[in-house]
Amino acid sequence: MKLVSAIIKPFKLDDVREAIAAIGVEGITVTEVKGFGRQKGHTELYRGAEYQVDFLPKVKIEIATSSDSVDLLIEAITKAAHTGKIGDGKIFVTALEQAVRIRTGELDSEAL
């Protein structure tokens, strides 16, 4: 099992959700987050005054999936979240040791 975490632009969330639903992924967790990468924020203008925005709004998507469907999931997220501009995001894949469905007590792949 793997845990796929993707940090994307907020306006791409619906596109990504539709793309992963199309490949049969059934459960995701979404969190609103803030951060920056290479772009290190940006400058905005508000009522005539410039100010620096260091942390940009992003969305973090977490998906627990079987190891054999990771490549398909990464491809779907990448295509749906791509704009070609800086700040499109990142995808991280980590090993998932154990999963438990609280309601039934099912373990691992049965719990997904």
Side-chain angles (χ1 to χ4, degrees), residues 35-45 50-58 86-87:
F36 66 88
R38 288 185 185 159
Q39 68 192 101
K40 307 238 188 321
H42 66 277
T43 303
E44 287 190 2
L45 191 62
E50 276 192 14
Y51 65 99
Q52 182 69 24
V53 177
D54 293 326
F55 294 101
L56 302 174
K58 301 287 182 177
I86 193 164

Side-chain angles (χ1 to χ4, degrees), residues 13-42:
L13 178 59
D14 286 336
D15 294 340
V16 171
R17 184 186 50 80
E18 290 171 9
I20 62 176
I23 63 169
V25 173
E26 293 182 340
I28 68 171
T29 301
V30 177
T31 310
E32 292 181 10
V33 295
K34 291 183 179 191
F36 66 88
R38 288 185 185 159
Q39 68 192 101
K40 307 238 188 321
H42 66 277

Side-chain angles (χ1 to χ4, degrees), residues 91-107:
I91 299 173
F92 305 100
V93 180
T94 55
L96 191 58
E97 295 290 325
Q98 187 175 21
V100 179
R101 184 181 308 245
I102 294 172
R103 179 177 53 88
T104 62
E106 292 171 303
L107 298 174

Side-chain angles (χ1 to χ4, degrees), residues 44-73:
E44 287 190 2
L45 191 62
Y46 180 72
R47 293 189 177 182
E50 276 192 14
Y51 65 99
Q52 182 69 24
V53 177
D54 293 326
F55 294 101
L56 302 174
K58 301 287 182 177
V59 172
K60 181 178 182 181
I61 300 170
E62 294 176 302
I63 305 163
T65 188
S66 62
S67 297
D68 44 334
S69 62
V70 168
D71 292 333
L72 187 61
L73 182 58

